[in-house]
């Protein structure tokens, strides 16, 4: 058994408090008429995501796209958006990096955008 002193625990908690918190989703909405997902993040930013850019969701029905929830797998509340009917989701981290699918999907989106 490992014993930890009160001072060690207090120091560890203080280090945790000083680490910057990763942004997470605090509010999410799907605008059916515009086919846009709007994610409000804990740091004040908003991500506006066209449904057509989201792998797995682009070809879904309106009902499937609108059926989503916010999950926290192993992290703070709201670390990913999840579509249960599609058994698919995307992380906030990936979305902030501009990833809306796998490499093949991203190349397809880039080609489409370049042709437009």
């Amino acid at each position: 058994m490992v014993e930890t002193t009160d001072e060690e625990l207090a120091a560890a908690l203080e280090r945790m408090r000083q680490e910057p918190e990763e942004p997470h989703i605090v509010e999410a909405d799907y605008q059916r008429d515009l086919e846009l997902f709007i994610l409000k993040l804990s740091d004040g930013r908003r991500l506006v995501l066209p449904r057509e850019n989201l792998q797995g969701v682009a070809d879904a029905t309106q009902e499937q796209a609108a059926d989503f929830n916010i999950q926290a797998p192993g992290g703070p509340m709201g670390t990913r958006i999840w579509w249960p009917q599609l058994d698919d989701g995307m992380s906030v981290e990936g979305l902030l990096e501009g990833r809306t699918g796998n490499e093949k999907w991203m190349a397809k989106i880039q080609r489409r955008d370049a042709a437009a």
Side-chain angles (χ1 to χ4, degrees), residues 98-111:
R99 288 191 321 259
T100 59
N102 63 27
E103 287 183 33
K104 185 177 177 182
W105 176 261
M106 294 304 298
K108 177 182 172 182
I109 296 295
Q110 288 174 348
R111 286 192 304 274

Side-chain angles (χ1 to χ4, degrees), residues 21-30 36-49 68 70 77-81 92 95-96:
E21 182 180 306
E22 295 294 322
H24 56 274
I25 303 167
V26 295
E27 193 175 314
D29 187 35
Y30 177 56
L36 293 173
F37 289 91
I38 302 169
L39 307 180
K40 183 178 177 184
L41 303 182
S42 58
D43 62 6
R45 288 184 281 181
R46 284 183 172 74
L47 294 177
V48 179
L49 307 165
F68 68 91
I70 306 307
M77 181 60 178
T79 56
R80 73 176 179 177
I81 183 169
V92 170
L95 291 170
L96 286 172

